[in-house]
Amino acid sequence: MKTYDIVIIGGGPAGLSAGLYAGRAKMDTLIIEKQKYGGQIVITDELENYPGSIEGETGPSLIGRMVAQCDKFGCTRVEDTITDVELEGDVKVIKGLKEEYRAKAVIITGGATHTTIGCPGEKEFTGKGVSYCATCDAAFFEDFEVFVVGGGDAAVEEAMYLTKFARKVTLIHRRDQLRAARSIQEKAFANEKMEFMWNTTVEEIKGDGIVQSMVVKDTKTGETREIFADEEDGTFGIFVFIGFKPLSSIYEGKIEMERGYILTDDDMHTNIPGVFAAGDIRKKSLRQVVTAAADGAIAATQAGKYIEELAGTAYKY
Ligand code: NAP
């Protein structure tokens, strides 16, 4: 069976950036993506915070060019779902539903996913008023009204960040007490732009092309009511922060992790020689396309160095 130099698991910005750097360095590189290239940004209609992006740049348009670059530099791409890995030793084994793959080095870029509310309209209006990323989308709600769903650290911190843009931020929480740390809560209660809607869940999101209203339920009384956008605004934002989880279950017990996030050093090395992690799946402070792409470039460069050390081959970036 063929042994690739580098196998990259995942075809989001981290994986494709790793593919570009590995392919350009003439590494025999395989990228395995389970479904759709791009990861979380395939649902992004407007991508204005990736350096160099100009008006009209979307998640899919950027990803399309990243895939083309990987092809240009000779990466092989396959569609498969990885179910198991054997990472110890000089030859790593990556088992998929369709095939088994072998590599001298592996770069794990499986990403992460947001917990969703699961109510009618949420999926339909994602990117059209419903968001899971304040850093990405806050600027689109300058002077608008915004609702934040959740009561943990992420919801409260992101709600406060949103107050820098939005006219008013209302936090909707299913209980009457926040889960967030006390110090974070205190800052939120002191923030004049913040309001709180307790014992409330979002039951439905409605609109015509963009979010225009939502149905909420009082968890104590069971009563529902509809909240409409201010007439002049025509819309409002719904930011959902009810949990975020890395897609790392197949690596459990095999690589060092913290709360499911793979631990790496600054050069993307995991605790296993020849195994690297990049992008949202690793423990880091900022999960954005630009940081995922940077991680991928570093991981591929380091994987090249690792292979060079392993075999003594000439290697140049
Ligand atoms: P989290 O702590 O698990 O909080 C999730 C929140 O969402 C909870 O308040 C929960 O309500 C609510 N929730 C869960 N499912 C829901 C549903 N289906 N409908 C409505 N509400 C729902 O998640 P997180 O805030 O994303 O934080 C994750 C981890 O990262 C935590 O360990 C957190 O401490 C850490 N973090 C730390 C910082 C920081 O220290 N600055 C910042 C961000 C995150 P209940 O409370 O009723 O369960």
Side-chain angles (χ1 to χ4, degrees):
M1 184 188 285
K2 172 175 179 162
T3 300
Y4 288 92
D5 288 328
I6 301 177
V7 165
I8 298 165
I9 305 174
L16 294 171
S17 169
L20 165 64
Y21 274 73
R24 206 164 165 265
K26 303 211 181 298
M27 296 273 117
D28 190 1
T29 304
L30 175 71
I31 303 173
I32 306 171
E33 166 58 41
K34 69 172 179 299
Q35 208 179 1
K36 211 169 182 183
Y37 286 89
Q40 295 170 82
I41 68 157
V42 287
I43 54 161
T44 306
D45 276 339
E46 203 169 343
L47 193 69
E48 62 175 21
N49 62 353
Y50 188 75
S53 287
I54 47 166
E55 214 169 316
E57 182 78 285
T58 66
S61 67
L62 178 67
I63 288 301
R65 296 203 306 278
M66 285 185 174
V67 170
Q69 272 182 307
C70 288
D71 291 348
K72 178 181 166 187
F73 290 108
C75 293
T76 306
R77 297 190 284 115
V78 295
E79 209 174 279
D80 203 349
T81 299
I82 303 309
T83 54
D84 199 10
V85 286
E86 286 168 20
L87 300 173
E88 302 289 345
D90 288 349
V91 176
K92 321 292 181 195
V93 182
I94 300 111
K95 296 175 183 172
L97 286 178
K98 293 183 186 164
E99 251 188 80
E100 196 171 287
Y101 311 90
R102 282 166 198 267
K104 295 173 192 161
V106 177
I107 303 176
I108 299 167
T109 71
T113 186
H114 302 273
T115 306
T116 57
I117 304 169
C119 70
E122 183 183 19
K123 206 170 171 190
E124 182 186 345
F125 292 105
T126 295
K128 299 178 175 73
V130 176
S131 170
Y132 304 88
C133 176
T135 313
C136 315
D137 297 330
F140 300 126
F141 293 94
E142 186 95 48
D143 293 329
F144 280 83
E145 194 173 344
V146 154
F147 294 84
V148 169
V149 184
D153 287 338
V156 180
E157 282 204 332
E158 299 302 307
M160 282 194 292
Y161 174 75
L162 283 159
T163 61
K164 294 182 186 161
F165 301 83
R167 188 171 73 229
K168 185 172 113 182
V169 176
T170 304
L171 191 123
I172 301 177
H173 184 37
R174 63 182 177 183
R175 295 187 293 132
D176 60 1
Q177 260 187 340
L178 296 174
R179 180 182 290 278
R182 245 194 218 281
S183 57
I184 298 175
Q185 288 192 28
E186 278 165 14
K187 282 188 202 146
F189 292 141
N191 189 319
E192 282 179 2
K193 276 189 171 180
M194 289 235 6
E195 289 190 8
F196 297 84
M197 205 180 273
W198 303 110
N199 301 312
T200 304
T201 52
V202 176
E203 297 296 308
E204 188 175 357
I205 297 163
K206 298 181 182 179
D208 184 7
I210 50 168
V211 170
Q212 290 169 325
S213 72
M214 70 178 155
V215 178
V216 295
K217 185 167 102 181
D218 185 315
T219 55
K220 292 243 150 120
T221 65
E223 268 173 45
T224 58
R225 67 188 170 97
E226 193 163 351
I227 298 171
F228 292 91
D230 180 284
E231 217 166 284
E232 266 185 34
D233 295 343
T235 189
F236 55 77
I238 304 171
F239 285 77
V240 182
F241 301 105
I242 57 174
F244 186 73
K245 62 170 193 299
L247 298 167
S248 62
S249 55
I250 59 167
Y251 310 107
E252 260 165 37
K254 297 185 175 180
I255 305 179
E256 269 178 25
M257 294 188 196
E258 195 179 298
R259 289 190 296 107
Y261 292 102
I262 295 176
L263 297 177
T264 67
D265 64 10
D266 288 349
D267 283 335
M268 310 303 141
H269 296 100
T270 68
N271 63 309
I272 302 173
V275 179
F276 304 80
D280 286 4
I281 199 165
R282 75 179 189 97
K283 188 188 175 195
K284 62 194 291 192
S285 60
L286 182 65
R287 294 192 170 83
Q288 293 283 288
V289 180
V290 66
T291 59
D295 284 2
I298 295 167
T301 309
Q302 293 298 321
K305 284 188 178 152
Y306 166 82
I307 292 166
E308 188 181 32
E309 277 166 22
L310 202 69
T313 50
Y315 186 74
K316 212 169 184 329
Y317 274 92

